[in-house]
Amino acid sequence: MEVVIMPSGTEVGLLAARKITRLVGARPDAVLGLATGSSPLAIYAALAAHVREGTLDTSRVSAFALDEYVGIPADHPESYASVIDREVTVPLHLDPERVQVPDGRATDLEAAGRRYEEAIRAAGGVDLQILGIGANGHVGFNEPTSSFASRTRIKTLTERTRADNARFFASPDEVPTHCLTQGLGTIMDARSLLLVAQGSQKAAAVAAAVEGPVTSMCPASILQHHPHATVMVDEAAAADLQLADYYRWTYAHKPAWQQF
Ligand code: GLP
């Protein structure tokens, strides 16, 4: 995979947004895969700036979110439906009809997972999937030991993930215990993957994903099997990478035609 180390999280966001803006420029009806959490916020802010400046037309773009909590109402401010609406759909002027989030309120969650897979297929598949990474190596909500072949389904959150996400809720007890998440197999079907991470709390997970063995104990390590996976991290998240100097040199000498 391609690893790009930027001086700061803001610069990660700007570079990632440039890559996405180029994609949409070349393919105005692109299908984007959206991640929640704090990692991609700088990307969304930079994309919103492109929209305001008129350098990005999102009118024909569609989008699919990675995951949703089970057990909280859709209008809860921390449901991923609310987060995607607030952080992405509104600021990026996406057509709400073209933005989908897994239905965590469905009474039949298995059927909701199947419907989501069908919706992604019907849209022609995801062109570019944005990913964050959990401190335990999860992507979407695919916790350690998730099957590499998994599709959209219900998952139980680990205590670590619930504790990490408690900051978004009034109390740790309020963090849902379950979710509906795209599987690793679903994510791997996207034509390109863009994983972003910032901060020292992600350094170990980033190193395990990029340079460690491919193992379901670090779900993000499956990206090593994707033909078009890019990992953009800030210096703090790059701290444990053994080949950091190699990645820096490679990026600094990227031929012009290959640049983002
Ligand atoms: C969350 C999300 C993931 C996200 C990850 C990291 O709970 N389900 O999609 O990438 O955990 O979150 P953050 O970016 O806030 O560190």
Side-chain angles (χ1 to χ4, degrees):
M1 59 180 92
E2 177 170 34
V3 183
V4 181
I5 302 172
M6 300 302 285
S8 71
T10 308
E11 280 153 292
V12 168
L14 291 170
L15 188 67
R18 208 155 75 211
K19 183 176 163 72
I20 295 165
T21 299
R22 283 220 179 150
L23 166 74
V24 176
R27 187 165 183 176
D29 59 351
V31 179
L32 299 180
L34 305 173
T36 45
S38 43
S39 307
L41 292 179
I43 305 179
Y44 301 142
L47 287 173
H50 280 286
V51 171
R52 282 196 304 275
E53 288 155 14
T55 47
L56 172 62
D57 174 5
T58 55
S59 56
R60 292 171 57 201
V61 168
S62 339
F64 288 88
L66 277 172
D67 44 15
E68 176 59 290
Y69 290 118
V70 167
I72 56 174
D75 60 357
H76 187 293
E78 292 307 326
S79 79
Y80 282 169
S82 299
V83 172
I84 291 289
D85 194 55
R86 190 169 65 232
E87 305 291 354
V88 188
T89 309
V90 172
L92 268 61
H93 298 184
L94 295 184
D95 175 355
E97 297 286 313
R98 292 176 191 256
V99 180
Q100 298 198 45
V101 179
D103 183 5
R105 270 95 30 213
T107 40
D108 185 345
L109 288 164
E110 226 176 285
R114 274 196 306 272
R115 274 201 306 277
Y116 205 63
E117 293 281 329
E118 278 156 26
I120 294 173
R121 256 195 309 276
V126 170
D127 289 303
L128 183 143
Q129 176 64 58
I130 299 168
L131 296 167
I133 183 169
N136 64 2
H138 74 227
V139 285
F141 267 136
N142 292 281
E143 298 284 32
T145 70
S146 286
S147 161
F148 285 161
S150 50
R151 313 302 307 189
T152 306
R153 72 217 182 288
I154 187 168
K155 280 295 285 181
T156 307
L157 301 180
T158 60
E159 276 314 299
R160 171 82 190 264
T161 297
R162 292 189 67 232
D164 285 349
N165 286 4
R167 67 189 191 280
F168 297 113
F169 292 84
S171 86
D173 293 342
E174 257 193 50
V175 185
T177 52
H178 292 82
C179 66
L180 196 59
T181 180
Q182 284 189 31
L184 293 172
T186 322
I187 292 168
M188 288 293 282
D189 282 349
R191 285 182 274 282
S192 60
L193 304 177
L194 175 56
L195 185 144
V196 292
Q198 304 95 352
S200 56
Q201 72 284 5
K202 298 294 174 67
V206 166
V210 173
E211 296 176 341
V214 176
T215 163
S216 64
M217 281 301 281
C218 176
S221 66
I222 186 70
L223 268 66
Q224 294 179 33
H225 281 299
H226 197 285
H228 301 290
T230 303
V231 174
M232 293 185 184
V233 294
D234 69 358
E235 287 287 350
D240 291 354
L241 289 169
Q242 289 177 44
L243 298 185
D245 286 341
Y246 168 70
Y247 308 136
R248 285 192 195 93
W249 195 93
T250 304
Y251 182 67
H253 295 85
K254 225 168 143 59
W257 62 268
Q258 235 187 20
Q259 280 166 14
F260 301 121

